[in-house]
Amino acid sequence: MHCSLTKPMIRRFSARDGASVAMQAEPDSFIRGLLNALPEHAAIIDDAGVIVCVNEAWREFARRNGAAGLAGEGSAYLEVCRKASLNGDRYARQALDGLESVLAGATEAFTMAYPCHSPGEERWFTLHATRINAVPGGALLRHANVTHRKLAEDKLREREARQAFLLELTDALRGLDEPQEITQTACEMLARHIDADRAAYVQISGEEFIFRESHARGSAQMQGRGPVAIFGRTMIEACRRGEMVWSDDCDLDPRFSEPEREAFRHFGARAFIGATLIRNGEWVGAFGVDSVAPRRWSESERELVGEAAARIWAAAERARAERAQRESEEKYRALFESIDEGYCILEAIVGEADRVQDFRFLEANPAYLRIVDVAGVSIVGRRGRELFSIEDEWLCAVGEAALRRERVHHEGESKALNRWLDAFFMPFGAPGSSLCAVRVSDTTERRRAEQKQREYAEMLLEADRRKDEFLATLAHELRNPLAPIRNAVYLQERYLAEGSGAARLPGLLEIMRRQTDHLVRLVDDLLEISRINRGVIELHKEPVELAAVLRQAAETSAPAMEAGGHEFVLDLPDEPICFLADPVRLTQVFANLIDNAAKYTPPGGAIALRARREDGQAIVSVKDDGVGISAEMLPRVFDLFARGDGPRHRTQGGLGIGLSLVRSLAEQHGGAVEARSAGEGAGAEFIVRLPLMQASSEALKEPRPATPAPLASLRVVVADDNRDAADSLGLMLKEFGAVARVVYDGRAALEAVKELSPDLVILDLGMKDMDGIETARRIRALPQGKKAMIAALTGWGQAEQRQRTHEAGFDRHLVKPAAIDDLGQLLREAAE
C-alpha cells in the first residue's frame, strides 16, 4: 500500500510522539500499521476530501462493492459523494454534509447508517468520520457492517407493529356476534394493514371450496366455488397438514403445474399467503391475502397472516357456537332447567400423562348450581378448581366419561362442598370432543338420616345396655338394705316370741332405721334426678354463708367417712363468703361429693374439703387419694347412671346418680363442676365454681325453730288402701298426740270426715274404688270438709301430679315415705 502523507504531517507525528530513527525513516509503514489494526474498513482523507491512506479491509470492501475508484490513495472520496448526491442519493447527501462539516472543523465527528445492498443480500453499514487535528488536517473514515443489528431492530419494529395490529383486530372482533361479520371485518382490516389487494375467507366442504367473505381494493372480489383439486396436490397436502402456504409469483412458482397456474390466473391472484384452518384434525378452511402482481412476502407478513387467522378463527368459532346456542336455547333451556336433578356439561382439561387435571363448565342447570352452592353465579366457561377443590376420584370419573367414552357411576363425599353426591358421568358430543354430561343428586340428607339412624340405633343399644346395668344395679342396691331389714324383722319376731330379747331390740331397730333411711335416700335420688332433668325443680334462694353450708355437708357425710376410717380435712377461708343460694340443695351438692369420695377411697385414706374466693366466684374442692378415674371414664363421669368399669368401682355400690345431681344443681345455681384425676389409683378431685351474688353477712340469719303447737286435740283422718302403710301412719300420729282415724278406701274416708269433723285429712292418691283426687273433691263438698286441711301422701312426686292435687283442693303434697320432720311440720300447720 502507498500512503501519500505530506512531509509536514510526518514531521508533526515524529515531533509529537518522539518517534525513533527507524520510524522517521519509514513513516508510511507506521500509519499503515495503525489503520490495519482497526477492525473496521478505515481510510484517511485530507482537507480536500482526497484519500491519502487506506487499510486492507477498506480496499477489499471497495472492491467487493464495485467501487474500485475509491479503493486506493488519491481517490476523490468527497467528489464521489457530491456526484451521487446530485443524482438524488439521499444517503450520499447526508454523508457529504457530515464530512464537509468535519473537514471544516465545525464538528469533531460525524456518524450515519446507510444500506449497501447487493442483488442477493441486504446489508447495512455505519460511516464514522473523525477530524484529524494535526497539520495539514483531514479526517479518519471508518465503515462497520451493522446488518445484523439493523435487521434485528427492523424485526423488533415489525413485531411491535404486528402485535399492535393483532390487539386492534382482537378488540374489533370482540364486539361482533355474527361469524360472517367477524370474517368480513377481519378481511378489510388485514388487507389494509398488509397493503394487499384482497383478503378472503375460504370454506372447505368435502372436496369443494367456497369463497365466503372477502375484501378487494380496486380489483374483483373473490367469489364462487370450485373443486379443491385445482390448487394442486402439493398445496392440498400442505393445507391438510395445517401448514402456512404462500407464493411470491404463482406464474413462476415451480411447485405449480400449468393448469394450477391457470387456476390462480382465473382468480386474479399472482402472489398469495394462506393460513390453513383445522378443526378436530380436519382441514375446514383457509384465510389469506393475495396480490394481483408478483410480490415478495416478508417473513413478518407471513407470520402476521398466520396469527391473524388464528384469532379470526377463534372469534368466528365463538360466534358460531353462540349463534348455535341461541338458536336452540329456548327448547333446550326449557328441558334443561325443568330437570329437578343437577345436570351439567363438562369439558375435560388434560395434563401430563393424559390425565384429567381439571374441567371447564360448558353448561349447568339451576338444580346443579343449588347442589354445589353457587346458585345465582355464572360458572359457564370457568374451571372447576376456580370454584372449589376437587377430589381425585371425581376427576377420574370425568376422564373415564370424557376421554374413554365410558359411562361411570360414582357416589361419594365431596369434602369441599360438605355434601354427599350421587353422580352419573356420560360421554357427550362427538368422539374426540373431550366432553361429558353429569347428572347429580344430592344424597346428603339421606346419608345424614342414615347416619343418624345408625347413631340412634347405637344410642338405643347403649341406652338398653345402661338400662339393664341400671336395673341390675338398682336391684343390687335395693337388696342391700332389704336384707338387713328382713333379718332384723325375723330376729325381732324371734326375740319377742322368746320373751327374753327385749334388750336386743334397740340394736335391731337401729339397723332397721338406718337401712330404711338408705332405701328412702335411693328413691329420693331417683325422683330428684327426674325432676331436675325435666326442669321442674325450684330453688328457694336465700342469703347463705358458704362455710355454714360446707359444715352442714360435712356433718351429713360424717357417718360415711367414719365407717371408712377416713382422715378428713376442712379448709375454709377466714373471711365469710356470702351469696344467694338454696342452702338445702347446695348442702346436697357437697354432701354427694364427700359421700362419693368416701365411697371410692380405701379405709384410712384422706379426704379434703377446701374453699376460696377467686375472681368473683366461690371455688370449692373435694379431693381424695382413692381409686381415681380412668381417662376413658373422666369425660362421662357426670352422666346419669355412669359408674366405673373397674372391679374396685363396681364393689362400691351406688346407682350412678349422685354426680349427675351435683352437676345439675350446680348449673341451676349458675355454676359448674369439673372432675380431675391423673388416672386409676391416683385419686380424684371435684371442683365446684359458683358465682357470688350480693348478699351481706348481716342478711344471714339462723332459721327460727318452729314453735311446737299443741297436738293433743288434733283430729286426723288417714285413708290408704295399703293397710300396713295406713296403720303404721296412724300409730305415728298417735305418738305425736293426735287423734287418728284410719280407713282403707275413699268411701270410708267420707264417712269418717262426716263423723269426726277432722282438722287434717291425709289421702293416698292410688286407692282403687275411689282415688284420692275424687275423694278430696267430695270431702270439700261436705260441710265438715270445707275448713279441713287435706294432704296427699303418695309415691308420685311429678309436677303433673302436684298440679292435679292442687286443682282438686289439696293443701299439701307429700311424697312417700314422708320424713318424720315433714310429717311433724304438717301436723303443726294443721293445728295452727
Side-chain angles (χ1 to χ4, degrees):
M1 182 200 314
H2 175 70
C3 184
S4 57
L5 288 175
T6 61
K7 291 183 179 179
M9 183 177 287
I10 296 173
R11 286 196 297 272
R12 174 66 59 89
F13 281 131
S14 301
R16 183 184 63 200
D17 298 331
S20 63
V21 174
M23 178 179 172
Q24 293 174 10
E26 295 290 338
D28 289 357
S29 64
F30 175 72
I31 299 301
R32 191 165 52 248
L34 285 177
L35 292 181
N36 283 328
L38 296 176
E40 303 99 334
H41 318 128
I44 297 175
I45 61 175
D46 60 16
D47 288 344
V50 177
I51 298 176
V52 295
C53 189
V54 298
N55 65 3
E56 291 300 328
W58 176 283
R59 198 183 305 278
E60 178 64 20
F61 170 74
R63 184 185 60 77
R64 287 181 57 191
N65 290 279
L70 297 175
E73 293 80 354
S75 300
Y77 187 86
L78 211 60
E79 186 61 28
V80 172
C81 292
R82 189 172 291 112
K83 288 179 181 180
S85 176
L86 292 174
N87 291 331
D89 188 335
R90 65 184 181 90
Y91 293 106
R93 177 76 261 175
Q94 184 181 357
L96 179 62
D97 293 342
L99 291 173
E100 286 179 342
S101 176
V102 170
L103 292 174
T107 56
E108 289 296 318
F110 162 71
T111 301
M112 65 171 287
Y114 66 94
C116 186
H117 302 334
S118 59
E121 186 178 9
E122 180 180 357
R123 294 180 299 165
W124 283 84
F125 292 85
T126 59
L127 168 62
H128 184 75
T130 306
R131 178 170 176 77
I132 298 175
N133 292 314
V135 178
L140 172 64
L141 306 184
R142 289 175 292 161
H143 285 254
N145 189 332
V146 293
T147 302
H148 292 298
R149 187 183 71 190
K150 184 67 170 60
L151 293 179
E153 291 173 352
D154 290 346
K155 283 190 176 182
L156 178 60
R157 282 192 294 272
E158 290 174 356
R159 188 178 300 112
E160 290 174 349
R162 184 169 71 245
Q163 291 303 320
F165 170 73
L166 291 174
L167 289 175
E168 180 185 1
L169 178 67
T170 301
D171 290 341
L173 301 184
R174 186 179 293 117
L176 304 178
D177 297 326
E178 294 298 326
Q180 293 81 3
E181 188 179 10
I182 289 172
T183 51
Q184 183 63 43
T185 300
C187 286
E188 295 172 5
M189 292 182 66
L190 184 60
R192 284 197 303 268
H193 181 78
I194 208 168
D195 195 25
D197 292 319
R198 293 180 300 192
Y201 163 60
V202 181
Q203 179 183 346
I204 305 300
S205 179
E207 297 300 321
E208 186 180 49
F209 69 86
I210 306 169
F211 283 108
R212 289 301 185 188
E213 289 75 46
S214 65
H215 171 74
R217 181 185 63 183
S219 58
Q221 294 259 6
M222 300 184 75
Q223 55 187 355
R225 63 177 63 206
V228 173
I230 67 173
F231 294 115
R233 187 178 65 181
T234 302
M235 293 287 291
I236 293 172
E237 290 178 353
C239 289
R240 285 177 174 163
R241 289 194 300 269
E243 299 173 0
M244 288 281 294
V245 291
W246 74 90
S247 178
D248 295 337
D249 189 341
C250 297
D251 277 357
L252 302 178
D253 197 321
R255 294 176 297 173
F256 304 138
S257 65
E258 185 55 34
E260 292 163 357
R261 293 190 185 103
E262 185 58 35
F264 285 108
R265 293 190 198 106
H266 172 75
F267 292 111
R270 188 69 181 269
F272 71 89
I273 305 174
T276 307
L277 304 176
I278 302 293
R279 182 199 294 165
N280 298 326
E282 296 291 330
W283 177 32
V284 295
F287 188 88
V289 296
D290 69 19
S291 173
V292 296
R295 174 170 173 172
R296 184 177 180 184
W297 305 105
S298 68
E299 181 181 359
S300 177
E301 290 171 330
R302 297 196 300 269
E303 290 177 354
L304 176 62
V305 172
E307 293 183 31
R311 300 193 184 202
I312 296 164
W313 181 245
E317 286 289 276
R318 182 260 305 165
R320 289 189 188 93
E322 291 176 353
R323 185 179 64 180
Q325 183 177 359
R326 286 195 301 271
E327 290 174 351
S328 63
E329 183 69 21
E330 290 185 4
K331 59 181 180 181
Y332 171 72
R333 184 60 53 190
L335 174 64
F336 192 69
E337 295 189 357
S338 65
I339 301 174
D340 57 0
E341 290 182 298
Y343 196 86
C344 65
I345 299 174
L346 308 177
E347 179 185 18
I349 299 175
V350 182
E352 296 179 358
D354 293 332
R355 297 187 61 182
V356 174
Q357 63 181 15
D358 201 350
F359 52 76
R360 182 178 291 105
F361 286 100
L362 301 185
E363 190 59 275
N365 72 346
Y368 180 84
L369 299 180
R370 288 192 297 271
I371 289 174
V372 298
D373 198 22
V374 291
V377 177
S378 176
I379 65 173
V380 174
R382 297 177 66 180
R383 294 191 174 200
R385 292 191 186 276
E386 291 181 47
L387 302 169
F388 34 73
S389 60
I390 305 170
E391 289 85 357
D392 289 342
E393 55 265 29
W394 298 103
L395 291 176
C396 289
V398 172
E400 291 291 325
L403 304 182
R404 297 174 180 81
R405 317 303 289 173
E406 298 178 2
R407 294 172 62 89
V408 180
H409 174 228
H410 178 68
E411 182 176 9
E413 182 181 13
S414 172
K415 294 183 173 60
L417 300 175
N418 193 26
R419 283 182 170 86
W420 280 84
L421 304 177
D422 188 3
F424 286 88
F425 296 80
M426 298 157 282
F428 187 81
S433 62
S434 300
L435 304 180
C436 71
V438 187
R439 177 166 58 86
V440 183
S441 299
D442 187 347
T443 58
T444 305
E445 293 304 320
R446 175 173 63 82
R447 284 277 187 165
R448 289 175 179 171
E450 292 173 353
Q451 180 63 25
K452 285 183 179 179
Q453 188 173 4
R454 286 192 295 269
E455 292 174 355
Y456 183 66
E458 292 174 0
M459 183 182 69
L460 288 179
L461 289 174
E462 176 63 15
D464 190 58
R465 184 191 67 77
R466 293 179 65 180
K467 179 203 69 174
D468 291 343
E469 181 179 337
F470 165 71
L471 291 177
T473 303
L474 178 61
H476 175 269
E477 290 300 314
L478 291 177
R479 288 191 184 100
N480 281 339
L482 286 175
I485 290 174
R486 187 170 64 179
N487 293 341
V489 169
Y490 170 78
L491 291 173
Q492 184 176 349
E493 290 174 346
R494 184 168 181 176
Y495 292 159
L496 291 175
E498 292 176 353
S500 61
R504 303 180 185 180
L505 289 179
L508 295 177
L509 292 176
E510 177 60 24
I511 292 173
M512 294 173 68
R513 183 193 65 76
R514 187 167 56 249
Q515 296 304 322
T516 301
D517 288 345
H518 182 54
L519 275 174
V520 170
R521 186 167 181 178
L522 287 174
V523 175
D524 284 346
D525 280 351
L526 288 172
L527 295 174
E528 195 87 315
I529 196 65
S530 176
R531 286 195 294 270
I532 290 175
N533 287 341
R534 289 183 291 112
V536 299
I537 191 171
E538 294 183 6
L539 296 180
H540 301 285
K541 291 185 178 181
E542 61 184 62
V544 297
E545 206 276 314
L546 181 61
V549 171
L550 297 180
R551 290 191 184 96
Q552 180 63 38
E555 291 176 7
T556 302
S557 302
M561 291 187 289
E562 291 173 359
H566 298 131
E567 177 186 349
F568 180 68
V569 175
L570 180 61
D571 183 7
L572 301 176
D574 296 333
E575 60 173 342
I577 300 177
C578 306
F579 55 99
L580 294 174
D582 185 326
V584 175
R585 297 298 185 183
L586 214 52
T587 300
Q588 187 178 3
V589 167
F590 298 116
N592 277 8
L593 290 177
I594 298 172
D595 286 348
N596 186 75
K599 184 185 299 184
Y600 294 108
T601 300
I607 300 172
L609 175 62
R610 293 183 171 88
R612 69 181 187 278
R613 182 197 300 269
E614 183 180 295
D615 296 332
Q617 289 183 316
I619 310 296
V620 181
S621 165
V622 178
K623 188 173 184 180
D624 63 66
D625 58 1
V627 298
I629 307 171
S630 67
E632 294 78 12
M633 184 63 188
L634 195 61
R636 56 189 185 91
V637 71
F638 294 104
D639 291 350
L640 187 61
F641 308 136
R643 303 171 75 232
D645 294 330
R648 289 185 294 179
H649 293 84
R650 287 194 294 269
T651 58
Q652 302 303 321
L655 298 177
I657 292 176
L659 292 181
S660 183
L661 275 172
V662 167
R663 180 176 62 183
S664 299
L665 290 173
E667 290 174 353
Q668 284 215 326
H669 278 84
V673 62
E674 172 190 3
R676 297 178 180 176
S677 177
E680 292 193 7
E685 181 180 15
F686 290 84
I687 301 172
V688 180
R689 291 177 171 83
L690 297 169
L692 295 180
M693 305 181 197
Q694 295 300 323
S696 63
S697 57
E698 291 78 8
L700 301 176
K701 54 184 179 181
E702 294 294 332
R704 295 179 181 178
T707 304
L711 302 179
S713 59
L714 188 69
R715 299 182 299 281
V716 183
V717 172
V718 175
D720 193 336
D721 58 358
N722 185 323
R723 289 177 175 268
D724 289 342
D727 291 343
S728 60
L729 180 57
L731 291 174
M732 289 181 65
L733 293 174
K734 291 177 181 178
E735 288 296 321
F736 278 105
V739 176
R741 176 75 62 84
V742 177
V743 295
Y744 308 115
D745 58 58
R747 298 185 186 282
L750 292 175
E751 294 302 322
V753 169
K754 293 177 184 178
E755 180 182 343
L756 194 60
S757 297
D759 302 296
L760 173 64
V761 180
I762 301 176
L763 299 176
D764 176 45
L765 296 185
M767 293 182 292
K768 294 182 176 63
D769 294 334
M770 182 187 299
D771 65 16
I773 298 293
E774 180 62 24
T775 302
R777 289 197 182 101
R778 295 194 182 189
I779 290 175
R780 285 300 186 204
L782 296 174
Q784 299 85 347
K786 293 187 180 300
K787 294 184 178 181
M789 176 181 285
I790 303 179
L793 184 61
T794 175
W796 302 101
Q798 292 89 337
E800 310 91 76
Q801 295 297 332
R802 292 178 183 273
Q803 182 65 25
R804 285 187 63 200
T805 56
H806 175 72
E807 292 173 355
F810 283 83
D811 298 293
R812 297 288 183 274
H813 187 116
L814 301 181
V815 180
K816 290 181 181 180
I820 302 301
D821 292 343
D822 293 340
L823 191 59
Q825 180 63 26
L826 177 65
L827 294 176
R828 285 191 291 273
E829 291 177 4
E832 292 174 356

